Amino acid sequence: MRYALYFTPPKNDPLTGAASIWLGRDAFAGETYPAPGEDGMPAAEQFELTADPRRYGFHATIKAPFALASSVNERDLMAVVEDFTGRTPAFEIPELVLGQIGRFFALVPGCLHAPLQDFAASVVKSFEPFRAALCEADIARRKPEKLTESQRANLTRWGYPYVMEDFGFHMTLTGQVPEERSALMKSILEKRFAAFIGRPLSISGLAVFTEEERGGPFKIHSWLPLAGAKHREIRR
């Protein structure tokens, strides 16, 4: 069993619904959907290109998946999640845009937003005592030889390379898209997510995702609102 602390909009948020249909799976309900039909892109191809993010569910990584340290249990973790969300104010990202990171597409902030960076760093630090140390295989899987010096330091200290100054908020929409299909994919995503691109995104809660077995689908265990948010808690 691994746990992860992710941002995702509330269960009934229109963005959650749109992204779940696009990815083919709803991490709240565990429902799956057929690939949507797109002009110029067969359903089978779309389904293949969304396979990687489908397993994780629609989210932005805040604290990457981790096994619990031997000194704590799930009840301990959830108690701290409740305390953390209860005293951490909700806030907004001023603008959400469609971005391309390498060969995959994601919804990202329009510019660096200090409250978002601070929030992510606070989550990473606050829940570090719950993380079991990485095994050698997990470290090797991150290919530390290809990371920057600061990313390698993050991997050693926090168990994940892309935190603190190296953190970049992104809500993944595809896996690796071949270069020759990139323009078409961009056009499809701009249309599908037109209602959300160029608009603010409310960071109104924090979700605990679980992965029961390595390589299995991630599911939402609990979604807890941040202080001041007007959304109900969702718990398993």
Side-chain angles (χ1 to χ4, degrees), residues 57-179:
F58 184 59
H59 78 284
T61 298
I62 307 297
K63 190 166 184 67
F66 59 93
L68 285 178
S70 60
S71 58
V72 295
N73 57 35
E74 183 179 291
R75 183 177 297 178
D76 299 327
L77 173 65
M78 292 309 304
V80 177
V81 174
E82 288 187 32
D83 176 72
F84 180 89
T85 54
R87 58 183 170 78
T88 302
F91 62 98
E92 275 192 346
I93 296 174
E95 182 186 25
L96 196 65
V97 301
L98 179 66
Q100 187 170 2
I101 305 170
R103 284 166 46 196
F104 73 87
F105 288 87
L107 296 173
V108 300
C111 62
L112 191 69
H113 187 53
L116 176 60
Q117 300 298 115
D118 293 344
F119 169 73
S122 180
V123 172
V124 170
K125 293 175 182 177
S126 297
F127 293 93
E128 181 62 10
F130 291 91
R131 182 179 68 84
L134 294 180
C135 65
E136 291 186 7
D138 283 333
I139 294 173
R141 188 172 62 85
R142 291 292 176 190
K143 299 180 179 179
E145 69 279 2
K146 294 185 178 182
L147 300 174
T148 66
E149 184 176 347
S150 64
Q151 290 167 355
R152 285 194 297 272
N154 287 334
L155 181 61
T156 300
R157 175 64 182 89
W158 305 107
Y160 191 60
Y162 310 110
V163 296
M164 307 308 170
E165 290 81 6
D166 293 291
F167 172 73
F169 180 97
H170 60 280
M171 306 191 77
T172 308
L173 298 175
T174 73
Q176 302 289 314
V177 178
E179 185 175 353

